[in-house]
Amino acid sequence: MTEALDTRELIAFRIGAQEFCVDIMSVREIRGWTPATPLPRTPGYMKGVINLRGTVLPIIDLGARFGLPTTEPTARHVIMVAHIGGRTVGLLVDAVSDILQMSEAQVQPTPDVASDHVKSFVKGIFSIDGRMISLIELDHILPQAEAEAA
Amino acid sequence: MDDAFEAIKATFFQECDELLADLESKLLLLEQGQTDGETINAVFRAVHSVKGGAGAFGLEALVRFAHVFETLMDELRAGRKPCDPATVKTLLRASDVLADHVQAAQGLVPPVEETRSAALVAEMETLTHGGAAPTAPLDDDEDDFGFTPLAIDLPGIAPAPEPAAGWRIVFRPHGRMYANANETGLLLRELGRLGPTTVALDETDLPPLDALAPEDGCLTWTIDLSAPVDEAEVREVFDFVETDCDLAITPLGDAPAEFPAFDDEPAVVPPGGDDLDIAALLAKAAAAPIAEPAPAPVSEAPAPVSAPAPAVQAAPTAAAPVTIRVDLDRVDRLINAVGELVIQQAMLSQRVLESGLARSSGVALGLEDLELLTREIQDSVMAIRAQPVKSVFQRMPRLVREVADMTGKAVRLVTSGEETEVDKTVVERLAEPITHMLRNAIDHGLETPEERQAAGKTAEGTVRLAALHRSGRIVIEIADDGKGINRERVRQIALDKGLIAPDAALTDDQIDNLIFLPGFSTASVVSDISGRGVGMDVVKRSIQALGGRISISSVPGKGSTFTLSLPLTLAVLDGMVVAAAGQTLIAPLPAIVESLTPQAGDIHHVGGVDPVIRFRDAFVPLVDVAWGMGFSDTPMDPTQGIAVIVETESGQRAALLFDAIQGQRQVVIKSLESNYQQVEGVAAATILGDGRVALILDIDTLVALRRAGGRPDLKLAS
C-alpha cells in the first residue's frame, strides 16, 4: 500500500455528498449523460449501454455499485469513460470536481468503520482542505471482475 | 534470429497450403482428361516448389517424398510416360500423402506412417521407371486399384484381336440420353483420352427451327479415333448411354463411308455453348462449316472436344490477378472503422432531417452524396474480406475419395461455383457443415455400385457441390443421385426414439426434416464416417449459428438435395425493428416465420397460467418479450400487440409478443461482450440511426427462458 512513489494525478468526482477519486490515467474522457438502453437481467447498478462513437459502452451507476442510493440521471450528470482491465466502461457520477496531485504517502488506510462491500472498492482515503476523499480502485467495478476476484 | 527463421518457415507453410491447393485443382483437371502440357507443368512446378522450400528447412521426409513425386511428374512432363487415368489416380493419392507430410512437418499431425508413404513412393517409382507391369506393390491392399489399368502396357497379354490402327465411331444420341443428363461433350472428351480423335458432326437430320422438338436428338457424330486401343475400351466409354443412342464402331481402315467435307474443316467449339440443338441450328443457318456444339460441361472450362486443343488451355489459366498479403488485423480495423462511418452517416442524415432543413438545401444534397459514397466504401471493404468458397471446396475431393474408399462406393464429385465469394468468417465456418453433409450424402445417400446397377443407374454415384449467390445470400447445394430419403424408415426411427407422436400426421416434407432433430441418426450400422448420432442436427445448429437456414428435398430413388442459405457476412444482419415497452429491439430476420395480430379467441392458457396462441392449428407458446426481459412489470394484453412467430434453432416455434413492428433493416452487429459480458436473451447490440443502442434478441434463449418458467427475479436496471 505504501509504495514510495512520486506524486500521481487523480481525478476527483462527487456522488451525493461524498467525494471520490480515481487515477487520472484510467479515465479516457468525460461526457454528459445520454439516455442508455437498458439491459435485461442485469444487476441494479447496470444502467444499460450507450453508443460511444460506435462502441457499445456499458454504464455503471457508481453510487449504486458502492451501495449508495441509485442515481436518477439527468442531463447534468456525468459519465467518466474509464479503461478497466481491457474493457471500456462508463461510470455514472454526479459531477467531476477536481484534479489532484497526491503522493502515496498522503493516503491513509480506510478506517474500519466502512463495510466490507465499500472497502473492496476503496483503496484508501486522504483529506484536502478538510474534505475527505476516497481513493477508488476500479479493478473490481465490473461484475465478473468481482467474480474472478472472489 | 530464431524468430526470423520461424517467420520464414511460417511463410513457407502458408505457401505450401496454396501450392497444395493448386496442385489438387490441377490434378483434378488431369483427372477430367485435360492432360495438356500446361496442366502437367503446373503440377510439376507445385511439387517442385514444395520440395525446394522443404529442402531449405531440412524437412527430410517431405523432401524425399516430394522428390519421387517430382521425378514422376518430370517423366510425364517430358511425355515419356502417359498421363493415363491410373497414373492420375496415383498422383491424387500422392498429393494427399504430400499434404500429410507438409502437415506433419508443421507438427500439426503425427508423422506420416512409413508404410503408407513408402507404398506410394514404390508406386510412383514403378510408374517412373517401369514400362513393364509393376511387381505386386507392398502388401498394402489400398494400393491395388491404382494398378489395374496398367495392364495395357503389356502388349503380349492384350486380347487377340489385331490392334486396329483406330476406330470409326458413329454415334447418334436419342433425346432420352440427354434427358438422363448425359452429355455428348463428356463422351467425346472421354474418347479423347484414348487417343487423338477427329470429330465430325452430321446435322442433316436437323429439322427447320419451327419443326424442331428441342428435346430430341437429331445430331450424329462421327469420331475417328486413331489409337490402337481395344474395341471394348471404346465401347466402355458409351457404356452408360448405349441403350439411349445408335452406336456403330468399326475399325478405321474398313470404314466404307468417307466424310471428306468434314475432314477439311476444323471443328468449331462455341465457347460454353449451352444449348446443343440451337447452337447447331444457328451454325446451319449461318451456313457455317461443321459446327461442333459442346454442351456446357459442369466445370467452367469449355469442353475439350476434338483434339486436346491448345485453345482450351486459355480459359482456365486466365491471368492470375495481382494480389498482396495484408495482415487480417488491419483489414478488420478498416472494416470496423467503416462500420462506424456508416452508423455516423445514418445519424447525421437523421439529425439533418430533424433539423427541418429543406431536402433541396446544399447540406441535404451533400449528405445524399455522402451516403452513396459511404455505401460504396462499405461494399468495397466487405469485398476485401470476401473470399471465394474455393478454399473450402478444394478440400472436398480428397474427403470424397477417402469416404468413397471407406464405404466401397464409387463417387464422382462435381463442384461448381467455386468462385462464389462470401465473407471470410463465413467461409471458415462452412467447411465443417459441408464436410458433414458430403459424408452423409456418400454414406447414407448413395447406394453401393451393385445396388445402383440393380436400380438401373450408373455404378458411379454423383455428388454435386454447388455455390451460388441468390438474393443477397450465398446458397450451397449438396445433391446426390442416390436412393433418396427412406421416409418410412425415418418415421419409424423418429417414432422409436420418441421424437414424434405415434399418431402424428406428417407430410413428406416434415418427415424429411425429422433428420434434423437432435439425436436422430439413421445409419443402422454406426460407421466410421458418419452416424455417430451427432448428425444433421449439428449441421443445422452450426448453420443457424451463422444466421443461415438449411432445407432438404428428396425424391425416392433419385436422390436428395440439401440447400444451405447463409448471409454473406457476419458483420451485418437483417433484422426486424420492433418495439416493446418503449424499447427498440431487433429480431433477427432469418428466425422469423411470420407475424400476426392475436385475436382473443386464439389465446389460451395451459394450466391456466402459461399463455399459448393458436397458429395454423398448432399451439405455440406466447412469449411476452417486454415482461420476460424485465422492461415492464406487468404482462401486456396480447390482443394489443403483434405476435411474431419465430422458429428456434431446434425447430421449435414460439410467438414473441411486441407492441409494434417498426420496420426492417440491415444493422451492423456490435458485440456486448467486448466491454461488458454476455446478457441472457441478447445476442448482440447495434446502433440505430438516432444514435441509440438497440439490442438484438437471442430468440433461442428467450424461448428457452420462457419454458424454464418465465421471468427471472433479477430486476432491470433503472
Side-chain angles (χ1 to χ4, degrees):
Chain A
M1 266 312 114
T2 51
E3 298 150 88
L5 263 182
D6 301 339
T7 57
R8 53 196 269 208
E9 279 195 307
L10 302 167
I11 190 157
F13 52 91
R14 234 171 10 81
I15 300 173
Q18 301 192 39
E19 269 194 287
F20 301 89
C21 65
V22 292
D23 194 318
I24 203 166
M25 297 310 287
S26 60
V27 177
R28 307 217 350 214
E29 69 179 273
I30 294 164
R31 62 197 329 268
W33 164 257
T34 44
T37 302
L39 290 174
R41 299 164 212 286
T42 43
Y45 56 80
M46 283 302 307
K47 280 287 175 205
V49 285
I50 64 163
N51 162 27
L52 178 74
R53 290 183 301 279
T55 303
V56 175
L57 188 74
I59 304 296
I60 293 172
D61 180 346
L62 205 55
R65 185 75 179 110
F66 294 158
L68 303 169
T70 47
T71 316
E72 287 306 327
T74 65
R76 305 173 65 150
H77 281 78
V78 168
I79 292 171
M80 296 195 310
V81 180
H83 212 70
I84 307 174
R87 292 156 197 270
T88 311
V89 296
L91 306 172
L92 174 65
V93 300
D94 286 356
V96 171
S97 50
D98 215 348
I99 289 177
L100 309 167
Q101 300 247 346
M102 299 296 297
S103 72
E104 290 288 339
Q106 289 173 270
V107 179
Q108 305 164 20
T110 317
D112 244 359
V113 291
S115 74
D116 283 348
H117 184 68
V118 171
K119 272 175 97 176
S120 66
F121 305 115
V122 179
K123 203 174 155 190
I125 57 168
F126 50 85
S127 69
I128 290 179
D129 309 331
R131 299 181 300 173
M132 186 190 83
I133 299 176
S134 309
L135 177 62
I136 300 299
E137 187 72 83
L138 287 177
D139 295 354
H140 298 175
I141 292 294
L142 275 174
Q144 76 264 47
E146 187 177 52
E148 278 163 21
Chain B
M1 199 42 191
D2 263 4
D3 280 355
F5 186 73
E6 285 304 315
I8 298 170
K9 207 164 161 183
T11 312
F12 163 64
F13 284 126
Q14 222 171 0
E15 277 171 11
C16 268
D17 287 346
E18 284 165 22
L19 288 167
L20 287 170
D22 194 41
L23 173 66
E24 171 116 20
S25 67
K26 289 297 186 299
L27 283 176
L28 290 174
L29 283 180
L30 289 182
E31 197 186 26
Q32 287 161 21
Q34 198 178 316
T35 54
D36 53 88
E38 183 44 43
T39 316
I40 294 178
N41 246 328
V43 174
F44 173 82
R45 278 196 304 269
V47 178
H48 179 78
S49 306
V50 170
K51 183 185 120 175
F57 294 105
L59 306 167
E60 267 192 39
L62 179 56
V63 172
R64 257 180 299 152
F65 189 84
H67 176 71
V68 179
F69 199 157
E70 183 192 5
T71 316
L72 174 55
M73 283 321 298
D74 200 28
E75 289 292 303
L76 295 175
R77 185 168 71 141
R80 285 191 289 272
K81 297 286 171 223
C83 190
D84 51 25
T87 310
V88 175
K89 276 213 156 124
T90 306
L91 294 179
L92 274 167
R93 281 185 303 128
S95 79
D96 291 349
V97 174
L98 187 67
D100 288 347
H101 271 296
V102 170
Q103 291 227 307
Q106 273 170 286
L108 298 175
V109 294
V112 183
E113 309 101 85
E114 197 49 46
T115 48
R116 191 160 152 254
S117 182
L120 263 174
V121 166
E123 214 175 295
M124 287 192 290
E125 276 172 347
T126 321
L127 282 172
T128 310
H129 306 296
T135 46
L138 301 186
D139 40 353
D140 210 344
D141 50 1
E142 69 165 321
D143 292 339
D144 290 353
F145 67 91
F147 286 94
T148 25
L150 276 188
I152 55 165
D153 283 350
L154 297 172
I157 299 176
E162 81 294 351
W167 300 92
R168 161 151 299 174
I169 300 128
V170 181
F171 171 58
R172 182 189 168 93
H174 300 164
R176 211 168 40 224
M177 190 197 97
Y178 299 119
N180 288 345
N182 287 300
E183 288 179 17
T184 313
L186 295 176
L187 294 169
L188 295 181
R189 193 176 342 162
E190 196 72 30
L191 276 179
R193 276 187 214 182
L194 297 175
T197 54
T198 317
V199 184
L201 172 71
D202 175 7
E203 28 60 291
T204 45
D205 287 347
L206 201 62
L209 189 55
D210 51 1
L212 178 75
E215 291 184 356
D216 279 354
C218 331
L219 302 174
T220 307
W221 280 269
T222 305
I223 307 113
D224 285 344
L225 171 66
S226 41
V229 293
D230 210 47
E231 183 179 343
E233 270 186 84
V234 179
R235 232 165 240 294
E236 204 186 319
V237 172
F238 296 94
D239 211 10
F240 302 128
V241 298
E242 221 161 355
T243 52
D244 297 333
C245 67
D246 298 328
L247 184 66
I249 301 176
T250 46
L252 198 52
D254 304 357
E258 283 295 322
F259 298 88
F262 297 156
D263 290 345
D264 296 343
E265 304 291 349
V268 180
V269 185
D274 45 25
D275 191 304
L276 193 70
D277 294 318
I278 298 299
L281 248 179
L282 289 175
K284 190 182 181 184
I290 307 312
E292 176 50 67
V298 253
S299 71
E300 72 260 55
V305 181
S306 45
V312 178
Q313 291 175 19
T317 50
V322 181
T323 56
I324 53 164
R325 277 170 207 267
V326 180
D327 198 5
L328 190 58
D329 268 357
R330 293 192 191 182
V331 177
D332 284 346
R333 240 180 295 152
L334 177 65
I335 285 169
N336 280 336
V338 172
E340 315 303 308
L341 179 68
V342 170
I343 291 166
Q344 203 65 41
Q345 185 271 325
M347 280 166 57
L348 196 58
S349 296
Q350 192 161 339
R351 295 272 151 83
V352 168
L353 212 67
E354 285 165 1
S355 73
L357 269 176
R359 282 202 172 274
S360 56
S361 69
V363 175
L365 290 177
L367 266 178
E368 254 168 53
D369 286 347
L370 179 65
E371 186 179 339
L372 288 178
L373 208 57
T374 322
R375 224 174 268 170
E376 196 181 317
I377 295 175
Q378 192 182 25
D379 287 350
S380 315
V381 166
M382 289 301 176
I384 295 180
R385 275 182 66 103
Q387 287 195 325
V389 291
K390 199 173 181 177
S391 58
V392 173
F393 277 25
Q394 259 168 351
R395 288 183 238 167
M396 296 306 153
R398 171 173 189 179
L399 173 96
V400 169
R401 278 200 296 281
E402 286 174 353
V403 177
D405 279 355
M406 265 189 260
T407 53
K409 292 174 182 175
V411 187
R412 195 163 68 100
L413 176 70
V414 179
T415 56
S416 63
E418 291 97 330
E419 301 303 328
T420 312
E421 288 190 335
V422 65
D423 191 79
K424 185 176 156 54
T425 43
V426 178
V427 172
E428 282 161 1
R429 288 155 82 172
L430 271 179
E432 200 194 309
I434 291 182
T435 307
H436 213 101
M437 292 194 346
L438 274 182
R439 280 180 179 155
N440 260 306
I442 298 169
D443 200 22
H444 303 319
L446 291 182
E447 313 91 328
T448 60
E450 298 78 42
E451 284 169 353
R452 289 184 64 87
Q453 270 165 338
K457 295 185 190 177
T458 56
E460 189 181 51
T462 303
V463 176
R464 215 164 49 81
L465 174 61
L468 56 141
H469 279 151
R470 190 185 290 158
S471 56
R473 291 169 78 84
I474 182 172
V475 174
I476 309 267
E477 279 182 353
I478 292 159
D480 65 65
D481 64 345
K483 52 184 181 277
I485 287 183
N486 183 342
R487 300 205 170 102
E488 246 163 68
R489 221 171 112 237
V490 165
R491 198 196 152 90
Q492 191 55 45
I493 290 170
L495 211 58
D496 292 348
K497 302 203 169 174
L499 300 171
I500 53 169
D503 55 349
L506 299 175
T507 63
D508 284 353
D509 211 33
Q510 284 171 320
I511 294 176
D512 289 348
N513 278 291
L514 288 177
I515 63 165
F516 293 119
L517 288 182
F520 188 98
S521 173
T522 53
S524 38
V525 182
V526 173
S527 62
D528 244 4
I529 305 113
S530 50
R532 287 189 202 85
V534 288
M536 296 309 292
D537 64 308
V538 177
V539 174
K540 185 167 189 179
R541 221 171 308 141
S542 58
I543 294 299
Q544 285 184 326
L546 291 172
R549 294 202 154 252
I550 183 167
S551 64
I552 177 174
S553 71
S554 179
V555 181
K558 298 266 186 201
S560 317
T561 302
F562 288 90
T563 310
L564 305 181
S565 137
L566 291 162
L568 292 178
T569 166
L570 299 182
V572 292
L573 168 131
D574 280 312
M576 189 178 268
V577 185
V578 293
Q583 297 298 325
T584 305
L585 302 165
I586 310 287
L589 214 49
I592 295 177
V593 181
E594 64 178 82
S595 59
L596 51 96
T597 314
Q599 304 300 318
D602 291 337
I603 313 282
H604 301 270
H605 288 82
V606 177
V609 191
D610 295 332
V612 293
I613 183 168
R614 201 173 62 184
F615 172 66
R616 295 198 181 161
D617 298 327
F619 287 97
V620 297
L622 191 62
V623 183
D624 184 335
V625 175
W627 182 68
M629 292 183 85
F631 292 146
S632 96
D633 288 333
T634 47
M636 69 182 287
D637 175 3
T639 58
Q640 297 297 306
I642 291 267
V644 174
I645 308 289
V646 293
E647 191 180 81
T648 65
E649 286 169 13
S650 50
Q652 281 147 330
R653 290 193 168 171
L656 303 185
L657 194 60
F658 300 108
D659 291 342
I661 292 175
Q662 293 178 341
Q664 193 176 314
R665 60 172 289 186
Q666 202 172 53
V667 297
V668 179
I669 297 173
K670 298 272 170 187
S671 143
L672 271 181
E673 284 94 341
S674 58
N675 281 326
Y676 183 51
Q677 61 187 30
Q678 215 179 340
V679 176
E680 262 187 322
V682 177
T686 189
I687 293 163
L688 295 178
D690 62 3
R692 290 201 55 174
V693 178
L695 303 178
I696 301 172
L697 296 174
D698 177 352
I699 304 274
D700 276 50
T701 326
L702 272 180
V703 174
L705 284 171
R706 156 69 166 69
R707 200 170 299 119
R711 199 179 136 124
D713 299 330
L714 264 180
K715 274 267 185 204
L716 176 71
S718 84

